[in-house]
Amino acid sequence: MTLRPSNRKFVLLAPLFGAVVLPSGCKTRTYNAGVRDSGKATDTQCAGSKPVRIADYVGNGVSCYQAKGGYLGLGSKYEPKKGLTRWVPGNAITFYSHGSSAAGFNYNEAFKSISDTNYFDPKIATELVEYALSGADTTHESLRGHPALSSPLHKGLVDVIQGAKETLFLDIMLFGGAWGTEIVREMMKVRKNNPGLEIVFLRDNVNVFGFSSELDPLWDALRDFDKNTPNLNGLGAVVALDSDLDTKKPMGLPANMGALTSVFANNPWVKDFLAKKLPKLHLAGKSDHSKIVIADAFTQRPSMWVASKNPTDNNLLNYDEGMVVKGPAAALAQLAFGPDLRLAAEQTLKVEKYKGRATDRSRGVVTKWLGEMQRLSDGSQGAIACAPPPAPGEAAQNVDIRWAENNGDDSVRNVEHTVLQLIRGAKKNVRMYNMLAYNPGVAEAFADAIARLGSENVKMIIDQALTFTPNLIFHEMVGAARVHLNKTTPDVDAQARLNSWDNSFRWRVGLKSKRFDAPAQEGAYKRIDIDQQQHSKTIIIDDETIFLGSANFDLITFGGSFREFSIAARTQQGDAKAREEVAKATKIFDDIWNALDVEVKTTAGIRAERAKDVPSAAVLKLAAGMLTGEHKVRHGLMPLNIPLESECR
């Protein structure tokens, strides 16, 4: 089929993305450089990289990418939300990993350092936060030697922050402690040195998963700073907004449980009991789960950091991965958060508990940003964006980026189809990390890839089935899909490949936790008892495409209850620098795979002393059958309904 740009304009209340190709004749065009840039920018100003007109990649035209089906959200009203975004060219990427033993970041040493040192001691927490908000030029003495500051993911994040000139946007679910405080210091230092810099923080302030003592001191200070601090020497604003989880997102609980959550929410006794006994959680299972920082979205050279990492001291020890993207995809990522900013600003202004927290300045900044997003999206200022100039002796990168999101107002819900199409489209190999992967769609796509490519080429490193037993259910789901595919495929070779499906799994057993600090006084900082997690959500396809970000591959995520943002980066054959970044990711995966000498079975990865807590094989099989509908495994809801890239021509 022929693809062409949609004639319908981007609407901030409901941005949907279709598919389009870069218009021909690009080299002869002249555009305004960016909403905040003065004068004109010609193609030559892209210094060898491809200029991209932002408005050409925004729209809601119908294309074959609007695949039907999927495990959740069935029905015609959901299909427009699931259309895949366009591949946006002209980007440069740098991959950052949690690291393996071969990559130089020693997690055992970091574990001991965090265990032995209370970097965010309650006695100096106020001092640390004030130091961070001052934009001091150096790290506070009490934080020097903090292992997070030498981690690869921190270095990538700081790279984006330090390059900002006009705007910084941050939406990270868990953000605080000593590590989060240091990131704020870096932002405030840049703000101090760049008059007019505007910083907007957005954060889920409902779900804290037991990390209140790390998160609250920094966030409360940021909101007070937003409310009370006047412009300093003409410096731009700092705006702190709580995500709006209630108005638009679908419920993340099983059907017919909505009434129960409303009873809980409205019963004073239940509310008081939950407040005392449980960490703050959204009763309907909704969350802003994003982990993204975007710099200079409204200029010619935007950049962003996208990762699975939550920058808190507790979460430092988890295995995570991320990527820095410099180029037009970062501007489009900022547009994707337009609905979130609008909803958060409305909540700040209208909801009783938030009254008095917003200043005229912060309201003005959000209004200004929304206006600039609208002008970027409708092309009224013809803004372009470019990848950064290449390093001396290197060719410019030209990486295609596709983003996958479940957005703030639930007008976009395409994580599911993006993931399934990537796996189904693999031609040579699939490597996956997963923290949560109890999803029949992913299970069938994974089994289908094994049938096509062989278990030696389809590999999954999955979080130890210790804290999150649903991953054991996923193991059973793949087994059920394999049985069905064996019955329905006439290909004898494919059947043989499927019979070795167990070889595609290895379970990652992290460092065993301990309670770092004695029970603290109410409200004081303490670390919680949690095992190290395989927290990455990464797929590497055919040694040329990387998918990563915040989205887990579980039912709640695919159903749209969590606000998610992930990206796929597709490299070109002759792009040596970009392929080098993919090779880094591949090597780290293979190093870890080869280091995990674990017998693969339903109890794989479980420490002997905890194996008694694992459900029996019969219970796991029953649970997997309930989710997949074992009597009708081929129920038409799986990835075979999703067209391949080659079919969208």
Side-chain angles (χ1 to χ4, degrees), residues 3 101 141 192 211 221 223 289 304 334 340 347 349 363 367 482 486 500 526 561-562 596 614:
L3 303 181
S101 57
E141 60 182 8
K192 185 171 66 175
F211 295 102
R223 285 198 293 210
H289 193 241
M304 65 177 172
Q334 186 69 78
D340 302 78
Q347 175 173 261
L349 295 175
R363 287 194 296 266
T367 301
R482 162 253 184 182
N486 252 336
S500 63
K526 63 181 180 181
S561 298
F562 281 21
L596 297 181
V614 177

Side-chain angles (χ1 to χ4, degrees), residues 532-546:
Q532 186 181 36
Q533 298 166 359
Q534 170 52 63
H535 195 250
S536 308
K537 306 98 168 48
T538 302
I539 312 173
I540 308 170
I541 301 291
D542 295 340
D543 303 314
E544 64 184 27
T545 299
I546 304 177

Side-chain angles (χ1 to χ4, degrees), residues 15 39 42 198 205 244 249 304 349 388 420 469-470 484 507 588 592:
T42 62
E198 295 161 358
N205 199 42
D244 186 347
K249 300 297 289 178
M304 65 177 172
L349 295 175
L420 296 183
T469 53
H484 170 76
W507 303 82
I588 290 173
I592 296 168

